[in-house]
Amino acid sequence: MTAPTILPLSIERLFYAVAGRALLESVSVEIAAGSRTVILGPNGAGKSLCLRLAQGLIAPTAGCVVWKGPGAAQAKMRQAMVFQRPVLLRRSAAANVSYALAVRGVPRADRPSRVEEALARAGLAGLGDRPARTMSGGEQQKLALARAWALKPEVLFLDEPTASLDPAAVRAVEAMIQAIHEGGTKIVMTTHDLGQAKRLADEVLFLHNGRLVERAPADRFFEHPSTLQAAAFLRGEILA
Ligand SMILES: Nc1ncnc2c1ncn2[C@@H]1O[C@H](COP(=O)(O)OP(=O)(O)OP(=O)(O)O)[C@@H](O)[C@H]1O
Ligand SMILES: [Mg+2]
């Protein structure tokens, strides 16, 4: 039996301000099950803030984030997040995955097989005993993804998952994201990389200066952006 869905996620008139300066203004959007949602925008647009607010890591100044699905009460346990710079424990790669499973209440006896499977899917089979913090940047990012994958989340939030990786590692991580999605996990990710958005997005939320400027299916967004800011961003212009 599959658990009832926690989606959709409703983001309602979200404001976030620090020291009186508005960093996010009136962002409203409903995030539905299924598609890969990519939050796109230039540096400083508010993408990371949006993701942290959506995941409940920080509280909004005004507005709210509400899980509306019938399984909403389980929302905390059914989502996972991968940060731009992986946050790994000073333990082995396997222990990092195993710890996350323990926190989610996965029985001890089930953990080793789930750890092994996740590491193998990430192309890290054989690296389970390595201290996580001695792994390369690309390996660490794959490990962070493996850890999230092992949790079998219904929704996976990813903040610039390939920002500091070389092209081969970018391809590997994008393939993992694709495989996680094909396994039935809803993907919500940020990027400022147009190529990545084109490769991965089904739906684009374009953010600029703390505002949600445009929301569209990916093909329409890239072919016919409906706002001047999005069109300028797609042309590679620097936005004011
Ligand atoms: N705690 C904070 N205090 C003050 N300013 C903040 C804080 N957090 C974020 N900001 C500012 O809010 C704006 C949006 O930040 P955010 O990290 O969401 O941008 P981003 O779109 O993720 O950019 P990038 O592509 O560089 O990751 C930036 O100008 C940032 O400096
Ligand atoms: Mg960011």
Side-chain angles (χ1 to χ4, degrees), residues 114-197:
R114 295 258 299 254
V115 170
E116 202 175 318
E117 183 192 3
L119 291 177
R121 282 172 155 177
L124 297 175
L127 291 184
D129 292 334
R130 276 277 297 280
R133 293 194 183 171
T134 68
M135 298 170 100
S136 74
E139 288 166 347
Q140 291 196 18
Q141 193 60 303
K142 287 180 203 165
L143 176 58
L145 267 164
R147 182 174 58 183
W149 202 351
L151 301 175
K152 303 184 179 164
E154 185 184 346
V155 183
L156 177 58
F157 293 96
L158 303 139
D159 193 9
E160 305 268 358
T162 63
S164 54
L165 304 183
D166 72 19
V170 168
R171 276 199 300 279
V173 166
E174 288 184 355
M176 278 182 77
I177 294 169
Q178 183 59 18
I180 293 170
H181 180 248
E182 281 163 11
T185 293
K186 163 80 187 183
I187 302 290
V188 183
M189 62 176 279
T190 70
T191 186
H192 63 269
D193 179 340
L194 265 180
Q196 179 160 74

Side-chain angles (χ1 to χ4, degrees), residues 22-119:
L23 301 175
L24 279 181
E25 288 186 66
S26 198
V27 173
S28 294
V29 65
E30 185 160 289
I31 294 179
S35 56
R36 293 161 301 176
T37 299
V38 170
I39 302 171
L40 179 69
N43 290 137
K47 305 180 298 295
S48 295
L49 280 176
C50 235
L51 214 59
R52 283 168 188 270
L53 286 158
Q55 227 233 337
L57 292 173
I58 51 176
T61 306
C64 59
V65 172
V66 191
W67 295 93
K68 293 215 155 154
Q74 290 297 310
K76 275 270 167 280
M77 300 296 278
R78 303 268 302 281
Q79 54 183 297
M81 170 117 178
V82 173
F83 296 91
Q84 180 169 342
R85 282 182 289 274
V87 183
L88 297 169
L89 303 174
R90 207 179 291 278
R91 299 184 188 183
S92 71
N96 267 273
V97 180
S98 191
Y99 178 76
L101 291 171
V103 169
R104 288 284 165 102
V106 174
R108 186 180 292 272
D110 297 344
R111 289 178 214 155
S113 59
R114 295 258 299 254
V115 170
E116 202 175 318
E117 183 192 3
L119 291 177

Side-chain angles (χ1 to χ4, degrees), residues 160-237:
E160 305 268 358
T162 63
S164 54
L165 304 183
D166 72 19
V170 168
R171 276 199 300 279
V173 166
E174 288 184 355
M176 278 182 77
I177 294 169
Q178 183 59 18
I180 293 170
H181 180 248
E182 281 163 11
T185 293
K186 163 80 187 183
I187 302 290
V188 183
M189 62 176 279
T190 70
T191 186
H192 63 269
D193 179 340
L194 265 180
Q196 179 160 74
K198 283 182 182 163
R199 289 190 293 276
L200 292 180
D202 296 310
E203 155 185 72
V204 174
L205 307 182
F206 179 68
L207 218 60
H208 176 48
N209 276 348
R211 291 179 177 275
L212 179 60
V213 172
E214 186 163 344
R215 174 197 192 175
D219 42 5
R220 193 171 84 209
F221 178 83
F222 291 113
E223 294 291 322
H224 303 290
S226 62
T227 58
L228 289 173
Q229 290 106 316
F233 182 75
L234 291 173
R235 287 195 301 270
E237 291 170 15

